[in-house]
Structure formats: C-alpha cells, structure tokens
Amino acid sequence: MILEDESLFNYALITLYLIAPPTFISLHFLQAPYGKHHRPGWGPNLPPYLAWFLMESPTLCFTLYLFPFGNNSSNPKSILLITPFLFHYFNRTCVYPLRLFFTATKNTFGFPFSIALIAFLFNLLNSYVQARWVSHYKNYDGDGLCFWLVFFCGVLVFFCGMGINVWSDNELLRLKSKGKGYVVPKGGLFEVVSCPNYFGEILEWFGWALMTWSWAGLGFFVYTFANLGPRARANHKWYLEKFGEDYPKKRIAVIPYLY
C-alpha cells in the first residue's frame, strides 16, 4: 500500500511539471475566457463567486482531509509548514468569493463552468502533491537549523507576496464595486506593473518553494508562473488597447522591471 501511494505521489508530481510547459505556451495564444477575456462559446456560465468557491475548494478541503493520514501529521514542523498554505486557500476559497458576491454588478460577466472544472482538477492534483509531501514524505529528522533557515526565509517571502496579492485584489474589487466598468487602477505596485495581484501570487508560491525546499513546492511555483505570466501579459495588452494613450507606458506586465 505504501509503495502504491508513493507511486501515485511520484506520478502526480511529474504531472505537475509536465503540464507547466504546454500551459505556458498555449496561454500565449489563447486566454481562459473569464474576466477581461470573457467570450461566449465555452458552455454554461456560473456566477464568478460560486465558480471561485467551487474551483478553489479542493485545495482547502482535500488538504484538510489528507493531512491527518500522513506519518508526520502530528509533527509540529509539519503543522507549521502547512499553515501558510491553508491560510492562503482559506482566503481564496472563502473570503475572496464573498468579496466577489458583495461587489457583483449588473455588468459582471459569468465564469465558464468548463474553466472552473479544469481549475478544480488542477487544484485536486496540486493539493494532493503539497499536502502529501508536507505531512508524509518530507523528512523532518536531522534537518535542524536548515529547516528553520529556509522556513523563515520562505515565510517572509510568502506573506510579502500574499500582502501584495490581497491588497491588489481588494483594489480591483473596490473599482469594480463602483459599477463604472473597467478603469485604470492606480497606487501601490499598479504604478509599476499591470497585474500586481498575479505578481503577489507568484511571489507567494516562490516563498512556498523555499519553505518546503522540495520538488513539490518548486513544481507549484513553476506552474503558477506558467499560468499567470502569460495571462498577465494578455491583461497588459488588453489595458493598452482599451485605454491607449491614457494608460501609463512605463508599466510592464507582472514582474517589476523584468517581465
């Protein structure tokens, strides 16, 4: 049984890496049809708040289900390590959909069920890989000072990224709640990049990769960039086309001064 689970874990981890390159390449040509890029032809739509709740829920629920079955589930280091992961997904699964619900306007586009289903399946895969690594396959014996060094470096990066992500999302929701359609966001990292919310999330999972110091954490970071990097560039292009000369030319897509 242990060998069967280890094989499943290894296959899931490899899958996480295999899907990153085609995701990165394909999203340079075809953007997922939600938000600014919403378009018909992708099947029935869900209200955005419901879609976000459903597609993010595996990462919270499945992680909480799997974690107690790990050999290290009662190890304080294991519990400490999984806490930032759960903290992020509590915000993304519960808090963010509620914010969407209360800021919805008559101009809010639906969210295609097909895209929500794809995201649900990815989150199922990723939550298995991350939770199983932290609670079962990571070796906490004899890591001593090294564990605390990478953990505190990683957690600093993680919560810096989460702060950027949450602030940027809140600013976009505040602008949306005015019911005036899309406007040019300003302030904070919006003065430097078009999508600081995506930059914050990429930074979060870089911090997670440091914290876990694992192929599992690195795989999640790589996929996050493969998914959000091209979308940020598409959003940047969308802003330039929509607002023309009124959009600040010094802004780039997502990573300040780089990308």
Side-chain angles (χ1 to χ4, degrees):
M1 186 67 181
I2 294 176
L3 289 176
E4 290 179 0
D5 182 80
E6 187 172 352
S7 296
L8 177 61
F9 175 82
N10 288 333
Y11 284 129
L13 178 58
I14 291 169
T15 300
L16 194 58
Y17 280 91
L18 289 178
I19 63 177
T23 298
F24 183 76
I25 294 170
S26 63
L27 289 181
H28 277 85
F29 301 98
L30 182 67
Q31 281 303 312
Y34 66 89
K36 297 175 179 64
H37 307 284
H38 183 273
R39 56 191 181 276
W42 289 77
N45 291 319
L46 297 172
Y49 64 87
L50 180 59
W52 278 99
F53 171 76
L54 292 175
M55 69 187 186
E56 299 286 356
S57 60
T59 325
L60 186 61
C61 300
F62 198 39
T63 299
L64 290 172
Y65 170 76
L66 278 177
F67 194 84
F69 292 99
N71 288 341
N72 300 312
S73 61
S74 59
N75 188 319
K77 291 180 179 177
S78 179
I79 296 170
L80 186 64
L81 197 54
I82 202 65
T83 298
F85 185 82
L86 291 172
F87 190 68
H88 169 90
Y89 278 104
F90 176 76
N91 173 67
R92 188 57 72 189
T93 305
C94 302
V95 178
Y96 184 67
L98 283 174
R99 295 293 309 278
L100 285 176
F101 176 78
F102 287 112
T103 58
T105 67
K106 64 181 181 180
N107 298 320
T108 300
F109 292 119
F111 197 110
F113 173 77
S114 57
I115 300 302
L117 179 60
I118 292 171
F120 177 92
L121 294 174
F122 169 79
N123 285 327
L124 202 61
L125 168 73
N126 187 53
S127 59
Y128 169 76
V129 170
Q130 307 306 321
R132 202 69 179 133
W133 170 258
V134 172
S135 70
H136 191 73
Y137 289 111
K138 182 172 174 59
N139 182 9
Y140 295 93
D141 297 330
D143 51 9
L145 182 62
C146 181
F147 172 85
W148 295 110
L149 180 63
V150 297
F151 174 78
F152 283 117
C153 288
V155 83
L156 179 64
V157 174
F158 181 93
F159 281 107
C160 179
M162 188 170 184
I164 294 169
N165 176 253
V166 171
W167 181 88
S168 304
D169 277 343
N170 287 345
E171 180 63 14
L172 292 172
L173 289 173
R174 185 186 69 82
L175 294 174
K176 185 182 294 185
S177 68
K178 293 182 177 181
K180 298 179 180 179
Y182 287 106
V183 298
V184 178
K186 298 179 180 179
L189 280 177
F190 280 112
E191 299 301 321
V192 183
V193 295
S194 293
C195 301
N197 50 330
Y198 293 164
F199 170 64
E201 189 150 352
I202 291 168
L203 198 60
E204 278 185 80
W205 301 122
F206 177 66
W208 174 253
L210 287 176
M211 271 189 278
T212 60
W213 202 252
S214 66
W215 290 111
L218 181 62
F220 187 19
F221 164 68
V222 168
Y223 183 84
T224 299
F225 180 79
N227 182 36
L228 296 184
R231 186 167 183 86
R233 293 191 67 173
N235 283 359
H236 181 68
K237 181 180 178 182
W238 183 92
Y239 277 122
L240 288 171
E241 291 175 349
K242 181 173 179 61
F243 296 107
E245 294 299 320
D246 293 329
Y247 196 71
K249 296 298 183 291
K250 65 180 181 179
R251 293 187 195 181
I252 58 175
V254 61
I255 299 178
Y257 311 110
L258 290 176
Y259 180 85

